[in-house]
Structure formats: C-alpha cells, structure tokens
Amino acid sequence: MTALTFTVVVLTISLLAGMLGALTGLGGGVVVVPVLTLALGVDMKYAIGASLVSVIATSSGAAAAYVREGYSNIRIGMFLEIATTMGAILGAYLTSRVSTHALAIVFGLVLLQAAYLSFKGAPEDAERVESDALARRLRMGGSYPVAGTLRTYGVRNVPGGFSLMFGAGALSGLLGIGSGAVKVIAMDRVMRIPFKVSTTTSNFMIGVTAAASAGLYFHNGYINPHVAMPVMLGVATGALVGAKLLVHMHVKTLRTIFGFVILALAIEMIVSGIGGRV
Amino acid sequence: MNDRRLEDIIGQLLRAGVLLSAVTVLAGGILYLAGNHAAQVHDHVFAPGGPDTRTLAGIVRSAAHGESAGIIQLGLLLLVLTPVARVAVAIVGFLLERDRFYAMVSLIVLAILTFSLMHVT
C-alpha cells in the first residue's frame, strides 16, 4: 500500500469511528484500534498510540461545549484525576511489558463490555442522595440544570469511586482508549452522581488521564507520526460532526447497530489474540 | 472568579490548544504526503523510530529542519500539553478562589503529569 492510500483509508475509518464514538458516547478509540489492527494490519502498539492522542483531541475539543452547559463538576473531576493519572502511568508501563497477543485479548474483553453497554442503553437516573461525611468534607456536591432550574445533588462512597478510577486509568494507559464507560460507572453507579454530570465530568477527565500515559507512549515509540496523523485528524473531526448530528439522530437504533459491530470486533480481537495473529 | 467562569476559561483554552495542534499536524501531514505519497508503508511491524520522533529535543530539532515527521510529532506534543495547561490554569483558579485544598489536589495531578512527560526529555 502506498503512503497516500494508507493515509486516505485510515483518515476515512477514523472519521467514521469518531462520528460513531460521539453519537453513541463510547468514544472513537474502541473502534479505531481493532479496525486498524485487524483490517489494515497496523501493529497494535502503533494503533493504541494513535488512539491515545485522538482521545485527547476529542476530550479537549468537546470540553468547552460541556462546560458552558454547566453539567461537569471540576472538583470531583480534579480529585478523581489523581487516581486516573496514577493508573494511566501504571497501564502505560504494563503496555511495554505485555505481548500484543495479550493486549488484543484484554482489548476484546473491553469491547465485549462496550457492546453490552450499547445494547443496554443509558441507565435511569439514580435516586438523589445526600452527601456522606467524606464527600461533604471534600465539598463535592453540586447542582446541575434540569428543565430550567438548578437541582442539587450529593456524592457518596468516594473511596470506592477513587479505586475504580485507578482501574479506569490503568485500562486507558494499557489500551490507549479513553475508558469513559468505566469512569461513568465509577461516578454514576458507585458515587451516585447524576448520569448527566457523570458523563460530562468523565469526558473532562479523559484528556488529562490520556496525557498521563502520553509521555511514556512517546518514550516507547508508540506514537508513529504516519499512523497518528490521519487517526488524530479523522477522529477529532468525526467527533465534532457526531456531536452536531447527535441533536437530529435516533440514537437508540444507532446504539444497537453499533453494538453488533463492536461485538463482532470483540470476538475477532479475542480470537486473533489467542491465535497469535495480532 | 467563580467555578463557572474558571471552567469557561479552561474550556476555551482547551479548544485553542486542540486547534493549534490540529493545524500543525495537518501541515506536517501535507508535507509528508507531498514528498512521499508513492512510498510503500510498513506499519505492520513495531519498530520504534529514533529520537526524532521520541524525545522533545529530537522532535523540536526535526521540526525546525522542516521534516514532516518532526512537525507532526510537535503538533501531537502540543495536543498532549493542552490538558496539562488545563490543570495548571485550575491551580491558579482555585488559588484565586482561596480554595487551598483543591489547589493542592490540582498540584498533585500536575506533578503526576510532569513525571510522565519527563520521559519525553
């Protein structure tokens, strides 16, 4: 394949991945990495390196819009970033120690969970809770707009959320993905933060988490300019288009279709990993 | 200075950083394709490049010589620095709010990020 063909193909795939990632809320990385490795035969370490930088672009690019809507909670985000960045460094270290076969299998398992989430759809907003003692001391509670009025919320189980965030960071560093799904579970399910606040705060945190792995990724040579260039430009542009389309699209059908695609990628990734083909 | 104002500044800063990075990467990409569009690619084997794509000094040197790979890597480094700048601005913002605890939390995050980025030097 010539450099021009390769760039155009990767750019197109990344554009679609970024769009789908934004529309379904699963992020572009989970699609781009398996397609690059399985369909184009790109070395997985280059694929996850390219995915990692595209994750920073998507997260940082979208942050301005989310902030204006007044959903994200900067105190919760910053506090939990201590956990995600430490986890990310551990994950990035592990990536250089683990074989690509093992990485492919772990990636496949993460895809299985993503497929499950897209079939299940967004959860009902959990019942509001009062902050517990630790969350009150950390002043984590806040308010967010619901139908024109500000609704206050409390926060629970900070240690539980913090621990899970360490795992989310490690997964992000290991696989070059945003691991937004795990971050949302940590906030929404474990810490009982409203879903909308959880998703926007998670998006805010993804860029900082990924930046913590980036230093090691550069050092290890995972950031290949000729792979990362079309992936970063494609995913970032696709995410921008996806966010605009989101208002007009029937997301539920799309999530289901996307779920099947991810499921197929998950199986292929695990089989290829076990068979030693990735 | 309140939380909303602070978050708005941070959001704008991030957007500007991404835009600057994307323009740099695009410029490097066009330069790369202009000179190498017919070259065969070999990205199926992991073979880490030299310092020109892996260390700060090497990337800056390569970009200053107008080499496409160096310009792309420089753009990607700029991208990595946007969330770092975000954390630094948050420290200042929390200090202006006289919130010393969260200024300290942000400082810890910045220290962790700095530790990681030291691997590039």
Side-chain angles (χ1 to χ4, degrees):
Chain A
M1 201 184 294
T2 67
L4 183 63
T5 321
F6 179 79
T7 305
V8 170
V9 171
V10 173
L11 193 68
T12 312
I13 291 169
S14 306
L15 205 71
L16 286 172
M19 250 171 72
L20 277 174
L23 284 170
T24 55
L26 288 171
V30 291
V31 191
V32 130
V33 174
V35 174
L36 285 183
T37 47
L38 297 172
L40 290 176
V42 173
D43 189 287
M44 191 159 167
K45 299 207 162 157
Y46 289 147
I48 62 176
S51 167
L52 187 88
V53 288
S54 72
V55 156
I56 300 178
T58 329
S59 160
S60 295
Y66 285 130
V67 164
R68 201 157 300 127
E69 289 164 22
Y71 291 114
S72 57
N73 184 320
I74 192 172
R75 287 199 166 78
I76 295 175
M78 195 59 81
F79 189 82
L80 295 174
E81 272 164 10
I82 295 178
T84 60
T85 49
M86 287 196 300
I89 288 177
L90 174 72
Y93 265 121
L94 284 177
T95 305
S96 59
R97 304 273 180 277
V98 174
S99 74
T100 38
H101 315 310
L103 281 180
I105 295 166
V106 177
F107 205 107
L109 295 174
V110 170
L111 286 172
L112 277 184
Q113 194 242 0
Y116 168 74
L117 284 178
S118 51
F119 288 130
K120 202 170 61 103
E124 294 287 310
D125 222 350
E127 223 176 288
R128 275 188 296 149
V129 291
E130 292 289 318
S131 286
D132 60 20
L134 181 58
R136 258 203 307 278
R137 284 199 56 176
L138 295 171
R139 289 170 285 127
M140 280 184 168
S143 57
Y144 70 117
V146 178
T149 58
L150 280 182
R151 181 183 289 179
T152 58
Y153 57 87
V155 176
R156 291 272 175 94
N157 195 1
V158 179
F162 195 84
S163 314
L164 193 53
M165 281 296 179
F166 182 82
L171 215 53
S172 167
L174 185 69
L175 303 175
I177 56 175
S179 70
V182 183
K183 289 189 176 84
V184 171
I185 290 171
M187 285 187 274
D188 163 66
R189 297 288 106 172
V190 179
M191 297 173 74
R192 308 288 298 275
I193 299 163
F195 187 66
K196 192 85 195 181
V197 178
S198 299
T199 50
T200 49
T201 305
S202 153
N203 178 76
F204 213 50
M205 297 172 63
I206 284 171
V208 175
T209 310
S213 319
L216 285 158
Y217 273 41
F218 265 107
H219 176 73
N220 291 333
Y222 299 165
I223 318 268
N224 178 308
H226 306 139
V227 181
M229 179 258 296
V231 171
M232 180 272 205
L233 293 174
V235 171
T237 313
L240 219 61
V241 175
K244 293 247 190 301
L245 283 176
L246 196 55
V247 194
H248 312 286
M249 293 271 294
H250 192 58
V251 177
K252 202 154 175 248
T253 322
L254 191 81
R255 283 184 78 102
T256 312
I257 300 168
F258 195 55
F260 280 110
V261 175
I262 298 225
L263 186 63
L265 288 175
I267 294 165
E268 185 62 33
M269 206 69 177
I270 293 170
V271 171
S272 300
I274 293 171
R277 278 178 287 119
V278 166
Chain B
M1 179 69 67
N2 58 35
D3 272 19
R4 280 300 289 280
R5 178 92 188 91
L6 174 61
E7 289 178 32
D8 205 43
I9 293 170
I10 292 174
Q12 300 292 346
L13 178 84
L14 290 175
R15 191 146 42 188
V18 174
L19 206 64
L20 183 67
S21 153
V23 169
T24 311
V25 171
L26 183 66
I30 291 168
L31 193 65
Y32 162 64
L33 288 178
N36 306 279
H37 57 90
Q40 291 294 315
V41 286
H42 305 282
D43 290 319
H44 53 285
V45 198
F46 178 65
D52 282 8
T53 54
R54 291 169 61 192
T55 67
L56 179 64
I59 290 170
V60 170
R61 192 182 332 114
S62 164
H65 285 145
E67 286 161 24
S68 61
I71 296 172
I72 294 171
Q73 297 299 77
L74 188 68
L76 297 176
L77 264 183
L78 279 173
L79 184 66
V80 172
L81 288 178
T82 50
V84 181
R86 187 218 122 175
V87 176
V89 170
I91 296 175
V92 178
F94 281 128
L95 284 176
L96 289 175
E97 286 184 36
R98 301 184 189 290
D99 188 340
R100 278 163 55 198
F101 178 77
Y102 275 96
M104 186 54 79
V105 166
S106 312
L107 193 65
I108 294 170
V109 175
L110 187 66
I112 298 169
L113 290 174
T114 308
F115 167 76
S116 168
L117 287 171
M118 267 164 31
H119 288 83
V120 188
T121 58

